[in-house]
Amino acid sequence: MKTIHILNGPNLNLLGQRQPEIYGHATLEDVAQTCAALGNSLGLKVELSQTNHEGVMIDQIHAARHTAAGLIINPAAFTHTSVAILDALHTFDGPVIEVHISNVHKRESFRHHSYVSLRADGVIAGLGVEGYQAAVRRMATLLG
Ligand code: DQA
């Protein structure tokens, strides 16, 4: 069974409590369980993590080079600021799918640009937490 990692950036530990009118009521634990079950049905082992620290996310990407066949990443606010995370993703050989719960293009202009999209093989935005499931399905296709 191939392993994929779902990496989540700052403030997503508060999913379900944080601005629910934008991000919904599901928690990150709900996302972890749903995606693990879906992945299992598709022959993928899904491991989800979250960090509020940019350097930790970079370390997680480096670790994924040896442990993951594909990466799903919601870098949260780092999406719009971090060349370092883009550079780290360039060291990863497998498919990368970028997920945003909200439709970032409908929001403030500073959310319209993503450094991570320069590396992502696919970008999902505005599907709510269902976007993670869409990404797992796509990952199953890409990893064949
Ligand atoms: C987000 C969108 C980002 O602009 C924001 O900073 C987040 C979450 C999303 O999932 O919609 O923290 O990545």
Side-chain angles (χ1 to χ4, degrees), residues 107-130:
R107 300 180 63 192
E108 303 97 320
S109 58
F110 64 82
R111 296 185 204 275
H112 297 177
H113 178 261
S114 166
Y115 285 103
V116 170
S117 293
L118 288 166
R119 167 63 182 87
D121 299 293
V123 181
I124 295 167
L127 302 191
V129 293
E130 289 172 47

PDB file of all heavy atoms in Angstrom, residues 107-130:
ATOM      1  N   ARG A 107     -11.618  35.942  -2.117  1.00  0.00           N
ATOM      2  CA  ARG A 107     -11.279  36.623  -0.863  1.00  0.00           C
ATOM      3  C   ARG A 107     -10.286  37.762  -1.120  1.00  0.00           C
ATOM      4  O   ARG A 107     -10.156  38.231  -2.238  1.00  0.00           O
ATOM      5  CB  ARG A 107     -10.754  35.582   0.134  1.00  0.00           C
ATOM      6  CG  ARG A 107     -11.792  34.491   0.425  1.00  0.00           C
ATOM      7  CD  ARG A 107     -11.295  33.465   1.410  1.00  0.00           C
ATOM      8  NE  ARG A 107     -11.032  34.069   2.713  1.00  0.00           N
ATOM      9  CZ  ARG A 107     -10.376  33.454   3.706  1.00  0.00           C
ATOM     10  NH1 ARG A 107      -9.926  32.223   3.520  1.00  0.00           N
ATOM     11  NH2 ARG A 107     -10.186  34.067   4.851  1.00  0.00           N
ATOM     12  N   GLU A 108      -9.587  38.207  -0.086  1.00  0.00           N
ATOM     13  CA  GLU A 108      -8.679  39.347  -0.209  1.00  0.00           C
ATOM     14  C   GLU A 108      -7.630  39.073  -1.301  1.00  0.00           C
ATOM     15  O   GLU A 108      -7.190  37.934  -1.478  1.00  0.00           O
ATOM     16  CB  GLU A 108      -7.946  39.613   1.113  1.00  0.00           C
ATOM     17  CG  GLU A 108      -8.854  39.867   2.295  1.00  0.00           C
ATOM     18  CD  GLU A 108      -9.069  38.615   3.139  1.00  0.00           C
ATOM     19  OE1 GLU A 108      -9.211  37.510   2.558  1.00  0.00           O
ATOM     20  OE2 GLU A 108      -9.090  38.758   4.364  1.00  0.00           O
ATOM     21  N   SER A 109      -7.166  40.144  -1.940  1.00  0.00           N
ATOM     22  CA  SER A 109      -6.250  39.966  -3.072  1.00  0.00           C
ATOM     23  C   SER A 109      -4.942  39.301  -2.647  1.00  0.00           C
ATOM     24  O   SER A 109      -4.324  38.592  -3.446  1.00  0.00           O
ATOM     25  CB  SER A 109      -5.986  41.294  -3.775  1.00  0.00           C
ATOM     26  OG  SER A 109      -5.453  42.209  -2.868  1.00  0.00           O
ATOM     27  N   PHE A 110      -4.514  39.494  -1.375  1.00  0.00           N
ATOM     28  CA  PHE A 110      -3.252  38.854  -0.967  1.00  0.00           C
ATOM     29  C   PHE A 110      -3.361  37.330  -0.941  1.00  0.00           C
ATOM     30  O   PHE A 110      -2.343  36.641  -0.899  1.00  0.00           O
ATOM     31  CB  PHE A 110      -2.747  39.400   0.383  1.00  0.00           C
ATOM     32  CG  PHE A 110      -3.634  39.112   1.575  1.00  0.00           C
ATOM     33  CD1 PHE A 110      -3.580  37.888   2.222  1.00  0.00           C
ATOM     34  CD2 PHE A 110      -4.501  40.081   2.055  1.00  0.00           C
ATOM     35  CE1 PHE A 110      -4.376  37.620   3.331  1.00  0.00           C
ATOM     36  CE2 PHE A 110      -5.313  39.833   3.166  1.00  0.00           C
ATOM     37  CZ  PHE A 110      -5.260  38.603   3.794  1.00  0.00           C
ATOM     38  N   ARG A 111      -4.591  36.801  -0.976  1.00  0.00           N
ATOM     39  CA  ARG A 111      -4.760  35.340  -1.016  1.00  0.00           C
ATOM     40  C   ARG A 111      -4.803  34.810  -2.459  1.00  0.00           C
ATOM     41  O   ARG A 111      -4.911  33.603  -2.673  1.00  0.00           O
ATOM     42  CB  ARG A 111      -6.050  34.925  -0.297  1.00  0.00           C
ATOM     43  CG  ARG A 111      -6.052  35.231   1.175  1.00  0.00           C
ATOM     44  CD  ARG A 111      -7.294  34.690   1.856  1.00  0.00           C
ATOM     45  NE  ARG A 111      -7.562  35.436   3.077  1.00  0.00           N
ATOM     46  CZ  ARG A 111      -7.001  35.170   4.266  1.00  0.00           C
ATOM     47  NH1 ARG A 111      -6.173  34.171   4.405  1.00  0.00           N
ATOM     48  NH2 ARG A 111      -7.291  35.906   5.322  1.00  0.00           N
ATOM     49  N   HIS A 112      -4.743  35.691  -3.449  1.00  0.00           N
ATOM     50  CA  HIS A 112      -4.892  35.248  -4.840  1.00  0.00           C
ATOM     51  C   HIS A 112      -3.605  34.635  -5.389  1.00  0.00           C
ATOM     52  O   HIS A 112      -3.651  33.897  -6.366  1.00  0.00           O
ATOM     53  CB  HIS A 112      -5.338  36.408  -5.736  1.00  0.00           C
ATOM     54  CG  HIS A 112      -6.689  36.945  -5.366  1.00  0.00           C
ATOM     55  ND1 HIS A 112      -7.262  38.020  -5.995  1.00  0.00           N
ATOM     56  CD2 HIS A 112      -7.586  36.554  -4.414  1.00  0.00           C
ATOM     57  CE1 HIS A 112      -8.445  38.272  -5.454  1.00  0.00           C
ATOM     58  NE2 HIS A 112      -8.658  37.394  -4.487  1.00  0.00           N
ATOM     59  N   HIS A 113      -2.475  34.994  -4.770  1.00  0.00           N
ATOM     60  CA  HIS A 113      -1.205  34.440  -5.258  1.00  0.00           C
ATOM     61  C   HIS A 113      -0.739  33.290  -4.369  1.00  0.00           C
ATOM     62  O   HIS A 113      -0.763  33.399  -3.140  1.00  0.00           O
ATOM     63  CB  HIS A 113      -0.103  35.504  -5.301  1.00  0.00           C
ATOM     64  CG  HIS A 113       1.207  34.927  -5.747  1.00  0.00           C
ATOM     65  ND1 HIS A 113       2.215  34.566  -4.861  1.00  0.00           N
ATOM     66  CD2 HIS A 113       1.648  34.588  -6.977  1.00  0.00           C
ATOM     67  CE1 HIS A 113       3.222  34.058  -5.541  1.00  0.00           C
ATOM     68  NE2 HIS A 113       2.906  34.062  -6.820  1.00  0.00           N
ATOM     69  N   SER A 114      -0.313  32.211  -5.020  1.00  0.00           N
ATOM     70  CA  SER A 114       0.232  31.064  -4.288  1.00  0.00           C
ATOM     71  C   SER A 114       1.615  30.722  -4.821  1.00  0.00           C
ATOM     72  O   SER A 114       1.770  30.434  -6.010  1.00  0.00           O
ATOM     73  CB  SER A 114      -0.679  29.841  -4.473  1.00  0.00           C
ATOM     74  OG  SER A 114      -0.007  28.668  -4.056  1.00  0.00           O
ATOM     75  N   TYR A 115       2.614  30.751  -3.929  1.00  0.00           N
ATOM     76  CA  TYR A 115       3.936  30.250  -4.316  1.00  0.00           C
ATOM     77  C   TYR A 115       3.886  28.748  -4.585  1.00  0.00           C
ATOM     78  O   TYR A 115       4.536  28.232  -5.493  1.00  0.00           O
ATOM     79  CB  TYR A 115       4.966  30.540  -3.210  1.00  0.00           C
ATOM     80  CG  TYR A 115       5.382  31.976  -3.143  1.00  0.00           C
ATOM     81  CD1 TYR A 115       4.876  32.825  -2.168  1.00  0.00           C
ATOM     82  CD2 TYR A 115       6.285  32.505  -4.069  1.00  0.00           C
ATOM     83  CE1 TYR A 115       5.249  34.162  -2.110  1.00  0.00           C
ATOM     84  CE2 TYR A 115       6.669  33.835  -4.026  1.00  0.00           C
ATOM     85  CZ  TYR A 115       6.145  34.662  -3.036  1.00  0.00           C
ATOM     86  OH  TYR A 115       6.510  35.977  -2.997  1.00  0.00           O
ATOM     87  N   VAL A 116       3.076  28.053  -3.783  1.00  0.00           N
ATOM     88  CA  VAL A 116       3.018  26.587  -3.849  1.00  0.00           C
ATOM     89  C   VAL A 116       2.471  26.090  -5.189  1.00  0.00           C
ATOM     90  O   VAL A 116       2.860  25.033  -5.688  1.00  0.00           O
ATOM     91  CB  VAL A 116       2.183  26.071  -2.650  1.00  0.00           C
ATOM     92  CG1 VAL A 116       1.861  24.595  -2.767  1.00  0.00           C
ATOM     93  CG2 VAL A 116       2.935  26.364  -1.351  1.00  0.00           C
ATOM     94  N   SER A 117       1.600  26.889  -5.809  1.00  0.00           N
ATOM     95  CA  SER A 117       1.013  26.483  -7.101  1.00  0.00           C
ATOM     96  C   SER A 117       2.072  26.321  -8.189  1.00  0.00           C
ATOM     97  O   SER A 117       1.830  25.619  -9.178  1.00  0.00           O
ATOM     98  CB  SER A 117      -0.024  27.506  -7.559  1.00  0.00           C
ATOM     99  OG  SER A 117      -1.134  27.498  -6.701  1.00  0.00           O
ATOM    100  N   LEU A 118       3.235  26.956  -8.006  1.00  0.00           N
ATOM    101  CA  LEU A 118       4.314  26.810  -8.991  1.00  0.00           C
ATOM    102  C   LEU A 118       4.853  25.379  -9.022  1.00  0.00           C
ATOM    103  O   LEU A 118       5.504  24.983  -9.989  1.00  0.00           O
ATOM    104  CB  LEU A 118       5.460  27.782  -8.681  1.00  0.00           C
ATOM    105  CG  LEU A 118       5.143  29.251  -8.966  1.00  0.00           C
ATOM    106  CD1 LEU A 118       6.177  30.156  -8.316  1.00  0.00           C
ATOM    107  CD2 LEU A 118       5.122  29.489 -10.474  1.00  0.00           C
ATOM    108  N   ARG A 119       4.583  24.618  -7.970  1.00  0.00           N
ATOM    109  CA  ARG A 119       5.019  23.212  -7.911  1.00  0.00           C
ATOM    110  C   ARG A 119       3.848  22.232  -7.978  1.00  0.00           C
ATOM    111  O   ARG A 119       4.010  21.078  -8.385  1.00  0.00           O
ATOM    112  CB  ARG A 119       5.834  22.976  -6.630  1.00  0.00           C
ATOM    113  CG  ARG A 119       6.096  21.504  -6.264  1.00  0.00           C
ATOM    114  CD  ARG A 119       6.941  20.783  -7.311  1.00  0.00           C
ATOM    115  NE  ARG A 119       7.138  19.380  -6.978  1.00  0.00           N
ATOM    116  CZ  ARG A 119       6.296  18.393  -7.313  1.00  0.00           C
ATOM    117  NH1 ARG A 119       5.183  18.657  -7.982  1.00  0.00           N
ATOM    118  NH2 ARG A 119       6.568  17.148  -6.983  1.00  0.00           N
ATOM    119  N   ALA A 120       2.657  22.686  -7.617  1.00  0.00           N
ATOM    120  CA  ALA A 120       1.533  21.753  -7.476  1.00  0.00           C
ATOM    121  C   ALA A 120       1.124  21.175  -8.827  1.00  0.00           C
ATOM    122  O   ALA A 120       1.088  21.873  -9.838  1.00  0.00           O
ATOM    123  CB  ALA A 120       0.347  22.465  -6.839  1.00  0.00           C
ATOM    124  N   ASP A 121       0.784  19.881  -8.830  1.00  0.00           N
ATOM    125  CA  ASP A 121       0.253  19.233 -10.035  1.00  0.00           C
ATOM    126  C   ASP A 121      -1.239  19.502 -10.170  1.00  0.00           C
ATOM    127  O   ASP A 121      -1.794  19.413 -11.275  1.00  0.00           O
ATOM    128  CB  ASP A 121       0.515  17.732  -9.954  1.00  0.00           C
ATOM    129  CG  ASP A 121       2.010  17.461  -9.885  1.00  0.00           C
ATOM    130  OD1 ASP A 121       2.692  17.736 -10.889  1.00  0.00           O
ATOM    131  OD2 ASP A 121       2.501  17.041  -8.822  1.00  0.00           O
ATOM    132  N   GLY A 122      -1.892  19.826  -9.059  1.00  0.00           N
ATOM    133  CA  GLY A 122      -3.299  20.189  -9.067  1.00  0.00           C
ATOM    134  C   GLY A 122      -3.583  21.132  -7.923  1.00  0.00           C
ATOM    135  O   GLY A 122      -2.864  21.109  -6.905  1.00  0.00           O
ATOM    136  N   VAL A 123      -4.593  21.963  -8.091  1.00  0.00           N
ATOM    137  CA  VAL A 123      -4.987  22.928  -7.051  1.00  0.00           C
ATOM    138  C   VAL A 123      -6.495  22.846  -6.868  1.00  0.00           C
ATOM    139  O   VAL A 123      -7.240  22.891  -7.850  1.00  0.00           O
ATOM    140  CB  VAL A 123      -4.602  24.377  -7.450  1.00  0.00           C
ATOM    141  CG1 VAL A 123      -4.994  25.360  -6.344  1.00  0.00           C
ATOM    142  CG2 VAL A 123      -3.119  24.481  -7.764  1.00  0.00           C
ATOM    143  N   ILE A 124      -6.913  22.696  -5.615  1.00  0.00           N
ATOM    144  CA  ILE A 124      -8.342  22.619  -5.292  1.00  0.00           C
ATOM    145  C   ILE A 124      -8.642  23.747  -4.312  1.00  0.00           C
ATOM    146  O   ILE A 124      -7.947  23.891  -3.300  1.00  0.00           O
ATOM    147  CB  ILE A 124      -8.680  21.252  -4.648  1.00  0.00           C
ATOM    148  CG1 ILE A 124      -8.465  20.123  -5.649  1.00  0.00           C
ATOM    149  CG2 ILE A 124     -10.114  21.251  -4.105  1.00  0.00           C
ATOM    150  CD1 ILE A 124      -8.471  18.733  -5.027  1.00  0.00           C
ATOM    151  N   ALA A 125      -9.663  24.533  -4.610  1.00  0.00           N
ATOM    152  CA  ALA A 125     -10.039  25.624  -3.697  1.00  0.00           C
ATOM    153  C   ALA A 125     -11.546  25.778  -3.691  1.00  0.00           C
ATOM    154  O   ALA A 125     -12.195  25.682  -4.742  1.00  0.00           O
ATOM    155  CB  ALA A 125      -9.390  26.939  -4.134  1.00  0.00           C
ATOM    156  N   GLY A 126     -12.107  26.001  -2.501  1.00  0.00           N
ATOM    157  CA  GLY A 126     -13.507  26.375  -2.396  1.00  0.00           C
ATOM    158  C   GLY A 126     -14.479  25.216  -2.303  1.00  0.00           C
ATOM    159  O   GLY A 126     -15.691  25.435  -2.327  1.00  0.00           O
ATOM    160  N   LEU A 127     -13.972  23.997  -2.149  1.00  0.00           N
ATOM    161  CA  LEU A 127     -14.861  22.832  -2.005  1.00  0.00           C
ATOM    162  C   LEU A 127     -15.106  22.494  -0.542  1.00  0.00           C
ATOM    163  O   LEU A 127     -15.652  21.431  -0.234  1.00  0.00           O
ATOM    164  CB  LEU A 127     -14.279  21.598  -2.707  1.00  0.00           C
ATOM    165  CG  LEU A 127     -13.985  21.684  -4.202  1.00  0.00           C
ATOM    166  CD1 LEU A 127     -13.685  20.292  -4.753  1.00  0.00           C
ATOM    167  CD2 LEU A 127     -15.142  22.303  -4.969  1.00  0.00           C
ATOM    168  N   GLY A 128     -14.722  23.388   0.369  1.00  0.00           N
ATOM    169  CA  GLY A 128     -14.805  23.047   1.781  1.00  0.00           C
ATOM    170  C   GLY A 128     -13.852  21.905   2.091  1.00  0.00           C
ATOM    171  O   GLY A 128     -12.907  21.648   1.324  1.00  0.00           O
ATOM    172  N   VAL A 129     -14.104  21.213   3.197  1.00  0.00           N
ATOM    173  CA  VAL A 129     -13.196  20.106   3.552  1.00  0.00           C
ATOM    174  C   VAL A 129     -13.320  18.942   2.570  1.00  0.00           C
ATOM    175  O   VAL A 129     -12.453  18.063   2.545  1.00  0.00           O
ATOM    176  CB  VAL A 129     -13.412  19.616   5.006  1.00  0.00           C
ATOM    177  CG1 VAL A 129     -12.993  20.696   5.993  1.00  0.00           C
ATOM    178  CG2 VAL A 129     -14.826  19.165   5.242  1.00  0.00           C
ATOM    179  N   GLU A 130     -14.380  18.928   1.751  1.00  0.00           N
ATOM    180  CA  GLU A 130     -14.484  17.887   0.705  1.00  0.00           C
ATOM    181  C   GLU A 130     -13.323  17.964  -0.277  1.00  0.00           C
ATOM    182  O   GLU A 130     -13.032  16.994  -0.982  1.00  0.00           O
ATOM    183  CB  GLU A 130     -15.802  18.029  -0.071  1.00  0.00           C
ATOM    184  CG  GLU A 130     -17.032  17.639   0.712  1.00  0.00           C
ATOM    185  CD  GLU A 130     -18.304  17.991  -0.048  1.00  0.00           C
ATOM    186  OE1 GLU A 130     -18.390  17.680  -1.247  1.00  0.00           O
ATOM    187  OE2 GLU A 130     -19.194  18.602   0.563  1.00  0.00           O
TER     188      GLU A 130
END
